[in-house]
Every structure is written in C-alpha cells, then in structure tokens.
Amino acid sequence: QQPVQSPQAVILREGEDAVINCSSSKALYSVHWYRQKHGEAPVFLMILLKGGEQKGHEKISASFNEKKQQSSLYLTASQLSYSGTYFCGTIPPGNMLTFGGGTRLMVKP
Amino acid sequence: KAGVTQTPRYLIKTRGQQVTLSCSPISGHRSVSWYQQTPGQGLQFLFEYFSETQRNKGNFPGRFSGRQFSNSRSEMNVSTLELGDSALYLCASSLMTDSMNTEAFFGQGTRLTVV
C-alpha cells in the first residue's frame, strides 16, 4: 500500500519554507526521499532509518517518527532549484520500496 | 562512472502487441527495480531483481514480467498491450542487498505510448 503524501502541490516564493508530509498505515523500517525535476529521473535526497532520526541536505532536512509511521521533509529558505516533485518511499515489512503519489513544489521568484 | 541506462527512450506500440524494455544498471550494482510512472498514480512498483532472482513483485497483472541476467542487466516485458499501459517506465539500481539503507539510482526511463 502506498504511503500518503500531503500536500499534493505547493507554490512558494523564493525564501519561503515548506513542509511535506508522508504517512503510512503500515509499520516502517525506513523512509526515503527523492526529488524529480520535470523530464528528469528521480534523484535521491536522503534515507531515514531509525525512529526519530533527522537528516539534512543543504537546507533540506527530514524527520522520521516511527511510532506515528510518519516522515516530514522540511525545505528552508527555498530556492528556485528546489522546484520539482518530491516523493517519499517507504519500506514496510516485505522489503519493497513503495512510493507515495508525490508532492509538486513550485518556487517562484 | 556511467549511470543507469534504459533503452529505448521512446516507444510507440499498438494495442495487443508486446514490448520489451531494457535496463543496464550501474556497474557493480546487483539490485534492479522497475517502476511505472503515470500522472495520476505516481511511481508504482513493478518488481525487483537481485542476482537473477525476483525478490518482490508489485500489484500488476501477469502481462507484466521481467528477468535479470547474470551481468545484472534487466528486461521487462509487457504482453497484450492496453491503452492504460502508456506510461514512463523507470528502472532503478542499487548496490547493496539490503534495500532498506541503500540509495537507488534511476535511469531516464522509457516512455511507452500505446495507440
């Protein structure tokens, strides 16, 4: 079963912050985050393996709440280059990376 | 090093035909996964192969099949094509056996159009 992402789309001005949420109805072993720009392949951002783990990539960070089976991606002081579709991928029991429906992020000047 | 290579990049087929897509993973990567991407459904998992064995399979009909060769290259086949099979098919390779903590590298995909 696919994890659920919210919001489905968000429009920001440069410099604004955004949060993308990912939740699953199943217990999770790990959460993966990828970004796909229009016409390109998805590109890896980060993996969170433990409950409560937080990671960062430049001004993009994420947290993983294992108990709630949720992860959030935080984009701080967004840049034009952050535009794209963000996917969370989850590994439930069965070891199969399953992606959510994606969140379209558009950053405007 | 070279990335994940998928061929062909674009394909147009007629309903009822079959198609074979190819994926060459990054050198040294032994795990290959396939995904179907459509505007409404996001990335849907098809199957995963490791060392020529299918480890996981998504919820797709039996018309979708795949295989992996000893050099880790993988193919997927779709028989009796339907209009709804039109999509971008993405292949991803990863290095380790444990996909829980491994980054997946995606190819550019094959855009299949069924008419």
Side-chain angles (χ1 to χ4, degrees), chain B residues 28-102:
Chain B
H29 285 197
R30 296 166 65 190
S31 173
V32 174
S33 299
W34 288 89
Y35 294 85
Q36 181 194 65
Q37 185 172 30
T38 56
Q41 297 295 320
L43 287 163
Q44 299 284 316
F45 174 80
L46 282 156
F47 21 67
E48 181 201 1
Y49 288 88
F50 179 80
S51 292
E52 302 179 66
T53 301
Q54 186 181 88
R55 291 204 298 186
N56 287 293
K57 190 177 190 305
N59 189 25
F60 277 81
R63 300 184 296 107
F64 291 80
S65 63
R67 59 179 175 170
Q68 187 180 33
F69 302 96
S70 58
N71 61 358
S72 294
R73 190 178 71 85
S74 178
E75 287 182 348
M76 68 163 280
N77 184 77
V78 187
S79 61
T80 320
L81 284 166
E82 301 177 359
L83 294 179
D85 297 334
S86 295
L88 179 67
Y89 290 87
L90 290 163
C91 164
S93 76
S94 57
L95 179 62
M96 298 179 68
T97 61
D98 180 0
S99 62
M100 290 198 299
N101 58 3
T102 305

Coordinates of all heavy atoms in Angstrom, one line a residue, chain B residues 28-102:
Chain B
G28 N 28.5 -2.9 -11.0 CA 28.7 -3.4 -9.7 C 27.3 -3.4 -8.9 O 27.3 -4.1 -7.8
H29 N 26.3 -2.8 -9.4 CA 25.0 -2.9 -8.8 C 24.3 -4.2 -9.1 O 24.3 -4.6 -10.3 CB 24.1 -1.7 -9.2 CG 24.5 -0.4 -8.6 ND1 23.7 0.7 -8.5 CD2 25.6 -0.1 -7.9 CE1 24.3 1.7 -7.9 NE2 25.4 1.3 -7.5
R30 N 23.8 -4.9 -8.2 CA 23.2 -6.2 -8.4 C 21.7 -6.2 -8.2 O 21.0 -7.1 -8.6 CB 23.8 -7.2 -7.5 CG 25.3 -7.4 -7.8 CD 26.0 -8.2 -6.6 NE 25.4 -9.5 -6.5 CZ 25.7 -10.3 -5.5 NH1 26.5 -9.9 -4.5 NH2 25.2 -11.6 -5.5
S31 N 21.1 -5.1 -7.7 CA 19.7 -5.0 -7.5 C 19.1 -4.0 -8.5 O 19.6 -2.9 -8.7 CB 19.4 -4.5 -6.1 OG 18.0 -4.2 -5.9
V32 N 18.1 -4.5 -9.2 CA 17.4 -3.7 -10.2 C 15.9 -3.7 -9.9 O 15.3 -4.8 -9.7 CB 17.6 -4.2 -11.6 CG1 16.8 -3.4 -12.6 CG2 19.1 -4.1 -12.0
S33 N 15.3 -2.5 -9.8 CA 13.8 -2.4 -9.6 C 13.2 -1.7 -10.8 O 13.8 -0.8 -11.4 CB 13.5 -1.6 -8.3 OG 14.0 -2.3 -7.2
W34 N 11.9 -2.0 -11.1 CA 11.2 -1.3 -12.1 C 10.0 -0.6 -11.5 O 9.3 -1.2 -10.7 CB 10.7 -2.4 -13.2 CG 11.8 -2.9 -14.0 CD1 12.6 -4.0 -13.8 CD2 12.2 -2.4 -15.3 NE1 13.5 -4.2 -14.8 CE2 13.3 -3.3 -15.7 CE3 11.8 -1.4 -16.1 CZ2 13.9 -3.1 -17.0 CZ3 12.5 -1.2 -17.3 CH2 13.5 -2.0 -17.7
Y35 N 9.7 0.6 -12.1 CA 8.5 1.3 -11.7 C 7.8 1.8 -12.9 O 8.4 2.2 -13.9 CB 9.0 2.5 -10.8 CG 9.6 2.2 -9.5 CD1 10.9 1.9 -9.4 CD2 8.8 2.1 -8.3 CE1 11.5 1.5 -8.1 CE2 9.3 1.7 -7.1 CZ 10.7 1.4 -7.0 OH 11.2 1.1 -5.8
Q36 N 6.5 2.0 -12.7 CA 5.6 2.6 -13.7 C 5.2 3.9 -13.2 O 4.7 4.0 -12.1 CB 4.4 1.7 -14.0 CG 3.5 2.3 -15.1 CD 2.1 1.6 -15.1 OE1 1.3 1.8 -14.1 NE2 1.8 1.0 -16.2
Q37 N 5.4 5.0 -14.0 CA 5.0 6.3 -13.6 C 4.0 6.9 -14.5 O 4.2 7.0 -15.7 CB 6.3 7.2 -13.5 CG 5.9 8.6 -13.0 CD 7.1 9.5 -12.7 OE1 8.1 9.4 -13.4 NE2 7.0 10.4 -11.7
T38 N 2.9 7.2 -13.9 CA 1.8 7.9 -14.7 C 1.4 9.1 -13.9 O 1.6 9.2 -12.7 CB 0.6 7.0 -14.8 OG1 0.2 6.5 -13.5 CG2 0.9 5.8 -15.7
P39 N 0.8 10.1 -14.6 CA 0.5 11.4 -13.9 C -0.4 11.2 -12.7 O -0.3 11.8 -11.7 CB -0.2 12.2 -15.0 CG 0.3 11.7 -16.3 CD 0.6 10.2 -16.0
G40 N -1.4 10.3 -12.8 CA -2.3 10.2 -11.7 C -1.9 9.2 -10.6 O -2.4 9.3 -9.5
Q41 N -1.0 8.3 -10.9 CA -0.7 7.3 -9.9 C 0.7 7.4 -9.3 O 1.1 6.6 -8.5 CB -0.8 5.9 -10.6 CG -2.2 5.6 -11.0 CD -3.2 5.5 -9.9 OE1 -2.8 4.9 -8.8 NE2 -4.4 6.0 -10.0
G42 N 1.5 8.3 -9.8 CA 2.9 8.5 -9.2 C 3.7 7.3 -9.6 O 3.6 6.8 -10.7
L43 N 4.6 6.9 -8.7 CA 5.5 5.8 -9.0 C 5.0 4.5 -8.5 O 4.9 4.3 -7.3 CB 6.9 6.1 -8.4 CG 7.8 7.1 -9.0 CD1 8.9 7.6 -8.0 CD2 8.4 6.6 -10.3
Q44 N 4.6 3.6 -9.3 CA 4.1 2.3 -8.9 C 5.2 1.2 -9.1 O 5.7 1.0 -10.2 CB 2.9 1.9 -9.8 CG 1.7 2.9 -9.7 CD 1.0 2.8 -8.4 OE1 0.7 1.7 -8.0 NE2 0.7 3.9 -7.7
F45 N 5.4 0.5 -8.0 CA 6.4 -0.6 -8.0 C 5.9 -1.8 -8.9 O 4.8 -2.3 -8.7 CB 6.7 -1.0 -6.6 CG 7.6 -2.2 -6.5 CD1 9.0 -2.0 -6.6 CD2 7.1 -3.5 -6.2 CE1 9.8 -3.1 -6.4 CE2 8.0 -4.6 -6.1 CZ 9.3 -4.4 -6.2
L46 N 6.8 -2.2 -9.8 CA 6.5 -3.4 -10.6 C 7.2 -4.6 -10.0 O 6.5 -5.6 -9.7 CB 7.0 -3.1 -12.0 CG 6.1 -2.3 -12.9 CD1 6.9 -1.6 -14.0 CD2 4.9 -3.1 -13.5
F47 N 8.5 -4.7 -10.0 CA 9.3 -5.8 -9.5 C 10.7 -5.4 -9.2 O 11.2 -4.4 -9.7 CB 9.2 -7.1 -10.3 CG 8.9 -6.9 -11.8 CD1 9.8 -6.2 -12.6 CD2 7.7 -7.4 -12.3 CE1 9.5 -6.0 -14.0 CE2 7.4 -7.2 -13.7 CZ 8.3 -6.5 -14.5
E48 N 11.3 -6.3 -8.4 CA 12.7 -6.1 -8.0 C 13.5 -7.4 -8.3 O 13.0 -8.4 -7.9 CB 12.9 -5.7 -6.6 CG 14.3 -5.4 -6.2 CD 14.5 -5.5 -4.7 OE1 13.5 -5.8 -3.9 OE2 15.7 -5.4 -4.2
Y49 N 14.7 -7.3 -8.8 CA 15.5 -8.4 -9.0 C 16.8 -8.2 -8.4 O 17.4 -7.1 -8.3 CB 15.7 -8.6 -10.5 CG 14.5 -9.1 -11.3 CD1 13.6 -8.3 -11.8 CD2 14.3 -10.5 -11.4 CE1 12.5 -8.7 -12.4 CE2 13.2 -11.0 -12.0 CZ 12.2 -10.1 -12.5 OH 11.1 -10.5 -13.1
F50 N 17.3 -9.3 -7.9 CA 18.7 -9.4 -7.3 C 19.3 -10.7 -7.6 O 18.7 -11.7 -7.4 CB 18.6 -9.2 -5.7 CG 20.0 -9.2 -5.1 CD1 20.8 -8.1 -5.1 CD2 20.4 -10.4 -4.5 CE1 22.1 -8.2 -4.6 CE2 21.7 -10.4 -3.9 CZ 22.5 -9.3 -4.0
S51 N 20.5 -10.6 -8.2 CA 21.2 -11.8 -8.6 C 20.3 -12.8 -9.4 O 20.2 -14.0 -9.1 CB 21.8 -12.5 -7.4 OG 22.8 -11.8 -6.8
E52 N 19.6 -12.3 -10.4 CA 18.8 -13.0 -11.3 C 17.5 -13.6 -10.7 O 16.8 -14.3 -11.4 CB 19.6 -14.2 -12.0 CG 20.9 -13.7 -12.7 CD 21.7 -14.8 -13.3 OE1 21.1 -15.5 -14.2 OE2 22.8 -15.1 -12.8
T53 N 17.2 -13.2 -9.5 CA 16.0 -13.7 -8.8 C 15.1 -12.6 -8.5 O 15.5 -11.5 -8.1 CB 16.4 -14.4 -7.5 OG1 17.3 -15.5 -7.7 CG2 15.2 -14.9 -6.8
Q54 N 13.8 -12.8 -8.8 CA 12.8 -11.8 -8.5 C 12.5 -11.9 -7.0 O 12.0 -12.9 -6.4 CB 11.5 -12.1 -9.2 CG 10.5 -11.0 -9.1 CD 9.2 -11.3 -9.8 OE1 8.3 -11.9 -9.3 NE2 9.1 -10.8 -11.0
R55 N 12.8 -10.8 -6.3 CA 12.6 -10.7 -4.8 C 11.3 -10.2 -4.4 O 10.7 -10.6 -3.4 CB 13.7 -9.9 -4.2 CG 15.1 -10.5 -4.3 CD 16.0 -9.9 -3.2 NE 16.2 -8.5 -3.2 CZ 17.0 -7.8 -2.4 NH1 17.7 -8.5 -1.5 NH2 17.1 -6.5 -2.5
N56 N 10.8 -9.3 -5.2 CA 9.5 -8.7 -4.8 C 8.7 -8.4 -6.1 O 9.3 -8.1 -7.2 CB 9.7 -7.4 -4.0 CG 10.1 -7.6 -2.6 OD1 9.4 -8.1 -1.8 ND2 11.3 -7.2 -2.3
K57 N 7.4 -8.4 -6.0 CA 6.6 -8.1 -7.2 C 5.4 -7.2 -6.7 O 4.8 -7.5 -5.7 CB 6.0 -9.4 -7.8 CG 5.3 -9.2 -9.1 CD 4.9 -10.5 -9.7 CE 4.4 -10.4 -11.1 NZ 3.3 -9.4 -11.3
G58 N 5.2 -6.2 -7.5 CA 4.1 -5.3 -7.2 C 2.7 -5.8 -7.7 O 2.6 -7.0 -8.2
N59 N 1.7 -5.0 -7.5 CA 0.4 -5.5 -7.8 C 0.0 -5.2 -9.3 O -0.8 -4.3 -9.6 CB -0.6 -4.8 -6.9 CG -2.0 -5.3 -7.0 OD1 -2.2 -6.5 -7.4 ND2 -3.0 -4.6 -6.7
F60 N 0.6 -5.9 -10.2 CA 0.4 -5.7 -11.6 C 0.0 -7.0 -12.2 O 0.3 -8.1 -11.7 CB 1.6 -5.2 -12.3 CG 1.8 -3.7 -12.2 CD1 2.4 -3.1 -11.1 CD2 1.4 -2.9 -13.3 CE1 2.5 -1.7 -11.0 CE2 1.6 -1.5 -13.2 CZ 2.1 -0.9 -12.1
P61 N -0.8 -7.0 -13.3 CA -1.3 -8.3 -13.9 C -0.1 -9.1 -14.5 O 1.0 -8.5 -14.7 CB -2.2 -7.8 -15.0 CG -1.9 -6.4 -15.3 CD -1.4 -5.8 -14.0
G62 N -0.4 -10.3 -14.7 CA 0.7 -11.2 -15.2 C 1.2 -10.9 -16.6 O 2.2 -11.4 -17.0
R63 N 0.6 -9.9 -17.3 CA 1.1 -9.5 -18.6 C 2.4 -8.8 -18.4 O 3.2 -8.6 -19.3 CB 0.1 -8.4 -19.2 CG -1.3 -9.0 -19.5 CD -2.1 -8.0 -20.2 NE -2.4 -6.8 -19.5 CZ -1.8 -5.6 -19.7 NH1 -0.9 -5.4 -20.7 NH2 -2.1 -4.5 -19.0
F64 N 2.7 -8.3 -17.2 CA 4.0 -7.7 -16.9 C 4.9 -8.7 -16.3 O 4.6 -9.3 -15.3 CB 3.8 -6.5 -15.9 CG 3.0 -5.4 -16.4 CD1 1.6 -5.4 -16.5 CD2 3.7 -4.2 -16.8 CE1 0.9 -4.3 -17.0 CE2 3.0 -3.1 -17.3 CZ 1.6 -3.2 -17.4
S65 N 6.1 -8.8 -16.9 CA 7.1 -9.8 -16.4 C 8.4 -9.2 -16.6 O 8.6 -8.2 -17.3 CB 7.0 -11.1 -17.2 OG 7.2 -10.9 -18.6
G66 N 9.4 -9.8 -16.0 CA 10.7 -9.3 -16.1 C 11.7 -10.4 -15.9 O 11.4 -11.6 -15.6
R67 N 13.0 -10.1 -16.1 CA 14.1 -11.0 -15.7 C 15.4 -10.2 -15.6 O 15.5 -9.1 -16.0 CB 14.2 -12.1 -16.8 CG 14.5 -11.5 -18.2 CD 14.6 -12.7 -19.2 NE 14.8 -12.2 -20.6 CZ 15.2 -13.0 -21.6 NH1 15.4 -14.3 -21.4 NH2 15.3 -12.6 -22.8
Q68 N 16.3 -10.9 -15.0 CA 17.6 -10.3 -14.8 C 18.7 -11.3 -15.3 O 18.6 -12.5 -15.0 CB 17.9 -9.9 -13.4 CG 19.2 -9.1 -13.1 CD 19.4 -8.7 -11.7 OE1 19.0 -9.5 -10.8 NE2 20.0 -7.6 -11.5
F69 N 19.7 -10.8 -15.9 CA 20.7 -11.7 -16.5 C 21.9 -11.7 -15.5 O 22.0 -10.9 -14.6 CB 21.1 -11.2 -17.9 CG 20.0 -11.1 -18.8 CD1 19.3 -9.9 -19.1 CD2 19.6 -12.3 -19.5 CE1 18.2 -9.9 -19.9 CE2 18.5 -12.2 -20.4 CZ 17.9 -11.0 -20.6
S70 N 22.8 -12.6 -15.8 CA 24.0 -12.8 -14.9 C 24.9 -11.5 -14.8 O 25.6 -11.3 -13.9 CB 24.8 -13.9 -15.4 OG 25.3 -13.7 -16.7
N71 N 24.8 -10.6 -15.8 CA 25.6 -9.4 -15.7 C 24.8 -8.2 -15.1 O 25.1 -7.1 -15.2 CB 26.0 -9.0 -17.2 CG 24.8 -8.7 -18.1 OD1 23.7 -8.8 -17.7 ND2 25.2 -8.3 -19.3
S72 N 23.6 -8.6 -14.5 CA 22.7 -7.7 -13.8 C 21.8 -6.9 -14.7 O 20.9 -6.2 -14.2 CB 23.5 -6.7 -12.8 OG 24.1 -7.5 -11.8
R73 N 22.1 -6.9 -15.9 CA 21.1 -6.2 -16.8 C 19.7 -6.8 -16.7 O 19.6 -8.0 -16.4 CB 21.6 -6.3 -18.3 CG 20.8 -5.4 -19.3 CD 21.4 -5.6 -20.7 NE 21.2 -6.9 -21.3 CZ 20.0 -7.2 -22.0 NH1 19.1 -6.3 -22.1 NH2 19.9 -8.4 -22.5
S74 N 18.7 -6.0 -16.9 CA 17.4 -6.5 -16.7 C 16.5 -6.1 -17.8 O 16.7 -5.1 -18.5 CB 16.8 -5.9 -15.4 OG 15.5 -6.3 -15.1
E75 N 15.5 -6.9 -18.1 CA 14.5 -6.6 -19.1 C 13.1 -6.7 -18.4 O 12.9 -7.6 -17.5 CB 14.6 -7.6 -20.3 CG 15.8 -7.3 -21.2 CD 15.8 -8.3 -22.3 OE1 15.0 -9.3 -22.3 OE2 16.6 -8.1 -23.3
M76 N 12.2 -5.9 -18.9 CA 10.8 -6.2 -18.6 C 10.0 -6.3 -19.8 O 10.3 -5.6 -20.9 CB 10.2 -5.1 -17.6 CG 10.1 -3.7 -18.2 SD 8.9 -2.7 -17.2 CE 7.4 -3.3 -17.7
N77 N 9.0 -7.1 -19.8 CA 8.2 -7.4 -20.9 C 6.7 -7.1 -20.6 O 6.3 -7.5 -19.5 CB 8.4 -8.8 -21.4 CG 7.6 -9.2 -22.6 OD1 8.0 -8.8 -23.7 ND2 6.5 -9.9 -22.5
V78 N 6.0 -6.5 -21.5 CA 4.6 -6.3 -21.3 C 3.9 -7.0 -22.6 O 4.2 -6.6 -23.7 CB 4.2 -4.9 -21.2 CG1 2.7 -4.8 -20.9 CG2 5.0 -4.1 -20.2
S79 N 3.0 -7.9 -22.3 CA 2.4 -8.6 -23.4 C 0.9 -8.0 -23.6 O 0.4 -7.4 -22.6 CB 2.3 -10.1 -23.2 OG 1.6 -10.4 -22.0
T80 N 0.3 -8.2 -24.7 CA -1.0 -7.8 -25.0 C -1.3 -6.4 -24.5 O -2.1 -6.2 -23.5 CB -2.0 -8.8 -24.3 OG1 -1.6 -10.1 -24.5 CG2 -3.4 -8.6 -25.0
L81 N -0.6 -5.5 -25.0 CA -0.6 -4.1 -24.5 C -2.0 -3.5 -24.6 O -2.8 -3.7 -25.5 CB 0.3 -3.2 -25.4 CG 1.8 -3.4 -25.1 CD1 2.6 -2.7 -26.2 CD2 2.2 -2.8 -23.8
E82 N -2.3 -2.7 -23.5 CA -3.5 -2.0 -23.4 C -3.2 -0.5 -23.4 O -2.1 -0.1 -23.1 CB -4.2 -2.4 -22.1 CG -4.6 -3.8 -22.1 CD -5.2 -4.2 -20.7 OE1 -5.4 -3.3 -19.9 OE2 -5.5 -5.4 -20.6
L83 N -4.2 0.3 -23.7 CA -4.0 1.8 -23.8 C -3.5 2.3 -22.4 O -2.7 3.2 -22.3 CB -5.3 2.5 -24.1 CG -5.8 2.3 -25.6 CD1 -7.1 3.0 -25.8 CD2 -4.8 2.7 -26.6
G84 N -4.0 1.7 -21.3 CA -3.7 2.1 -20.0 C -2.2 1.8 -19.6 O -1.8 2.2 -18.5
D85 N -1.5 1.1 -20.4 CA -0.1 0.8 -20.2 C 0.8 1.9 -20.6 O 2.0 1.9 -20.3 CB 0.3 -0.5 -20.9 CG -0.4 -1.8 -20.5 OD1 -0.9 -1.8 -19.3 OD2 -0.6 -2.7 -21.3
S86 N 0.2 2.9 -21.2 CA 1.0 4.1 -21.6 C 1.5 4.7 -20.4 O 0.8 5.1 -19.5 CB 0.2 5.1 -22.4 OG -0.2 4.5 -23.6
A87 N 2.9 4.9 -20.3 CA 3.5 5.4 -19.1 C 5.0 5.6 -19.3 O 5.5 5.2 -20.3 CB 3.2 4.5 -17.9
L88 N 5.6 6.2 -18.3 CA 7.0 6.2 -18.2 C 7.5 5.1 -17.3 O 7.0 4.9 -16.2 CB 7.5 7.5 -17.6 CG 9.0 7.7 -17.5 CD1 9.7 7.8 -18.9 CD2 9.4 9.0 -16.7
Y89 N 8.3 4.2 -17.9 CA 8.8 3.1 -17.1 C 10.3 3.4 -16.7 O 11.1 3.5 -17.5 CB 8.7 1.8 -17.9 CG 7.3 1.3 -18.1 CD1 6.6 1.8 -19.2 CD2 6.7 0.5 -17.2 CE1 5.2 1.5 -19.4 CE2 5.4 0.1 -17.4 CZ 4.6 0.7 -18.5 OH 3.3 0.3 -18.6
L90 N 10.4 3.4 -15.4 CA 11.7 3.7 -14.8 C 12.4 2.5 -14.2 O 11.7 1.7 -13.5 CB 11.5 4.8 -13.7 CG 11.1 6.2 -14.2 CD1 10.6 7.0 -13.0 CD2 12.3 6.9 -14.8
C91 N 13.7 2.4 -14.3 CA 14.5 1.4 -13.8 C 15.4 2.0 -12.7 O 15.9 3.1 -13.0 CB 15.2 0.7 -14.9 SG 16.6 -0.3 -14.3
A92 N 15.6 1.3 -11.6 CA 16.5 1.9 -10.6 C 17.4 0.8 -10.2 O 17.0 -0.4 -10.0 CB 15.7 2.4 -9.4
S93 N 18.7 1.1 -10.0 CA 19.6 0.1 -9.5 C 20.2 0.5 -8.2 O 20.3 1.7 -7.8 CB 20.8 -0.1 -10.5 OG 21.7 0.9 -10.5
S94 N 20.6 -0.4 -7.4 CA 21.2 -0.1 -6.1 C 22.3 -1.2 -5.8 O 22.3 -2.3 -6.4 CB 20.2 -0.1 -4.9 OG 19.5 -1.3 -4.8
L95 N 23.2 -0.8 -4.9 CA 24.5 -1.5 -4.8 C 24.3 -2.7 -3.8 O 24.7 -3.8 -4.1 CB 25.5 -0.6 -4.2 CG 26.9 -1.3 -3.9 CD1 27.5 -1.8 -5.2 CD2 27.8 -0.3 -3.3
M96 N 23.6 -2.5 -2.7 CA 23.6 -3.5 -1.7 C 22.4 -4.4 -1.7 O 21.4 -4.2 -2.4 CB 23.7 -2.8 -0.3 CG 24.9 -2.0 -0.1 SD 25.0 -1.2 1.5 CE 25.2 -2.5 2.6
T97 N 22.5 -5.5 -1.0 CA 21.5 -6.5 -1.0 C 20.3 -6.0 -0.2 O 19.2 -6.4 -0.4 CB 21.9 -7.8 -0.4 OG1 22.4 -7.6 1.0 CG2 23.1 -8.4 -1.2
D98 N 20.6 -5.1 0.8 CA 19.6 -4.7 1.7 C 19.1 -3.3 1.2 O 19.7 -2.3 1.4 CB 20.2 -4.5 3.1 CG 19.2 -4.0 4.1 OD1 18.0 -3.8 3.7 OD2 19.5 -3.8 5.3
S99 N 17.9 -3.3 0.6 CA 17.4 -2.1 0.0 C 16.9 -1.1 1.1 O 16.6 0.0 0.7 CB 16.3 -2.4 -1.0 OG 15.2 -3.0 -0.3
M100 N 16.9 -1.5 2.3 CA 16.4 -0.6 3.3 C 17.3 0.6 3.5 O 16.9 1.7 3.9 CB 16.2 -1.3 4.7 CG 15.1 -2.3 4.7 SD 14.6 -2.7 6.3 CE 16.1 -3.4 7.0
N101 N 18.6 0.4 3.3 CA 19.5 1.5 3.6 C 20.4 1.9 2.4 O 21.5 2.3 2.6 CB 20.4 1.2 4.8 CG 21.2 -0.1 4.6 OD1 21.1 -0.6 3.5 ND2 22.0 -0.5 5.6
T102 N 19.8 1.7 1.3 CA 20.6 1.9 0.1 C 20.0 2.9 -0.9 O 18.8 2.8 -1.1 CB 20.9 0.6 -0.7 OG1 21.4 -0.3 0.2 CG2 21.7 0.8 -1.9

